[in-house]
Amino acid sequence: MLHLKAEPVANEVYARVTRAAQLVREKTGHSPTLATVLVGEDPASQVYVRKKGEMCHKLGLGHRDYKLLPDVTQDVLFDTVRKLNADPEVDGILVQSPLPKGLDEAAVFDLIDPKKDVDCFSPYNVGLLSQGRGTLLPCTPAGVMEILRHNKIDIAGKRALVVGRSDIVGKPMALLLLHAHATVTVAHSKTRDLAACVAESDIVVAAIGRARFLKGDLPWKKDAVVIDVGINRTPEGKLCGDVAFDEIAPKVAAITPVPGGVGPMTIAMLMVNTVRAAMLRKGISYKEL
Ligand code: NAP
């Protein structure tokens, strides 16, 4: 059984990002730059934004760090996004989710210039994604595709099951697998016979948000590839995924661990999107990125 770890995949992605960022600098004198906007003091969001900034610095990308008070008005947040949309030095805009209660998250995401929408939340980019013409791809599902590609896991013609249908993970994941020619089933909380879906699936992506929800007693195919997007904490405070790793690992061909599986790929793909956004805006081909 193969452990699909993120580290070698992320390192390969970072090497590509570094080369592409260098190309942008050589051609334009400009460093691809990410602006992060953090509203409030949610500890997990603070950690996520800090890590994104640190990665930009590590790779030689620019990082602008905007921190707004938890009681900021919608108008001030809109103004911040408008200024970043208009700023020629900013290539990518990331407004850290979730926003404090009372702020309209969808309206904020709608306002981000699609060319700078490095999270791929804007309806324009989601539309391109659904047509298979996406340029900025949603980070976590794109990271899963990198794991599959790096490990030479065939997708075309395979039966893929995505458990979860969120806008951030489940739906875009299903679309990316579909565009890679898998036959895709999407399961959710109203799905009647999840075991029957698992029984016929060659690739299973779990994005449920419930600790160890998919268990070893499901009818796993022995050559199945299991990708665990979940990040949960057990009552003891330990990090765990949406699949019961220890129970399932002996029964399948390959599986991602938590932590160290999908998680690190999200930041890696955000860096890809930041450089891609810069290349798109400067008219530089980004195909190899
Ligand atoms: P979400 O928005 O809460 O969506 C969860 C999905 O799971 C929903 O579609 C829900 O169905 C489905 N679900 C709930 N109970 C189910 C059940 N009993 N059977 C089948 N499906 C069920 O969560 P999310 O944002 O997609 O995140 C999912 C997990 O991925 C979380 O653990 C999150 O922390 C993690 N995550 C990780 C990363 C990363 O960087 N690795 C990034 C994003 C998210 P309904 O639609 O019917 O309610």
Side-chain angles (χ1 to χ4, degrees):
M1 187 270 314
L2 186 61
H3 279 206
L4 304 173
K5 294 197 176 135
E7 200 186 350
V9 192
N11 286 342
E12 190 198 300
V13 170
Y14 287 135
R16 279 177 4 224
V17 168
T18 307
R19 279 198 301 274
Q22 181 62 26
L23 182 71
V24 175
R25 271 191 296 276
E26 280 165 17
K27 290 201 176 221
T28 68
H30 164 78
S31 263
T33 296
L34 174 69
T36 52
V37 180
L38 174 66
V39 185
E41 285 152 359
D42 175 65
S45 294
Q46 285 176 328
V47 173
Y48 290 143
V49 167
R50 197 191 68 229
K51 284 188 172 172
K52 288 163 188 173
E54 284 170 0
M55 189 52 75
C56 286
H57 292 305
K58 200 169 162 191
L59 300 180
L61 309 186
H63 178 227
R64 301 263 202 91
D65 191 12
Y66 294 83
K67 293 200 166 67
L68 303 178
L69 294 171
D71 58 356
V72 72
T73 63
Q74 187 87 34
D75 284 344
V76 170
L77 181 53
F78 278 172
D79 278 349
T80 306
V81 171
R82 281 195 196 98
K83 279 188 192 129
L84 294 173
N85 280 344
D87 189 334
E89 297 298 315
V90 169
D91 299 293
I93 303 171
L94 181 140
V95 177
Q96 185 64 43
S97 170
L99 290 174
K101 281 201 174 64
L103 293 170
D104 183 347
E105 202 161 88
V108 175
F109 294 147
D110 285 356
L111 192 65
I112 294 174
D113 180 346
K115 292 194 184 69
K116 299 188 177 188
D117 170 33
V118 284
D119 260 334
C120 190
F121 288 165
S122 85
Y124 181 81
N125 284 325
V126 174
L128 287 180
L129 170 67
S130 81
Q131 294 180 344
R133 299 193 295 140
T135 46
L136 302 175
L137 299 175
C139 298
T140 303
V144 171
M145 297 305 282
E146 285 287 344
I147 291 174
L148 295 174
R149 186 199 49 75
H150 179 95
N151 289 285
K152 300 187 171 48
I153 291 163
D154 288 335
I155 303 174
K158 295 286 179 69
R159 299 293 297 249
L161 169 66
V162 180
V163 191
R165 57 173 166 181
S166 70
D167 290 338
I168 297 175
V169 188
K171 281 184 213 159
M173 187 72 251
L175 282 169
L176 290 176
L177 288 165
L178 184 64
H179 294 317
H181 311 296
T183 301
V184 183
T185 301
V186 181
H188 46 78
S189 66
K190 303 289 186 289
T191 296
R192 290 218 175 117
D193 192 351
L194 190 58
C197 302
V198 170
E200 63 183 18
S201 297
D202 305 300
I203 298 169
V204 177
V205 181
I208 308 155
R210 294 175 68 171
R212 295 171 62 83
F213 179 76
L214 298 183
K215 306 261 191 248
D217 59 3
L218 284 163
W220 298 95
K221 274 190 169 183
K222 68 175 186 330
D223 55 356
V225 173
V226 181
I227 306 285
D228 191 352
V229 178
I231 303 176
N232 311 287
R233 291 229 174 248
T234 62
E236 301 78 43
K238 243 184 98 185
L239 218 53
C240 75
D242 288 348
V243 311
F245 181 90
D246 49 330
E247 294 176 16
I248 296 169
K251 300 190 165 186
V252 298
I255 186 166
T256 59
V258 175
V262 174
M265 292 310 297
T266 300
I267 288 192
M269 300 318 288
L270 175 68
M271 299 298 117
V272 167
N273 277 350
T274 301
V275 179
R276 266 191 190 185
M279 294 175 108
L280 276 167
R281 287 184 341 104
K282 306 278 181 191
I284 304 170
S285 167
Y286 64 88
K287 287 216 165 55
E288 280 160 38
L289 184 54

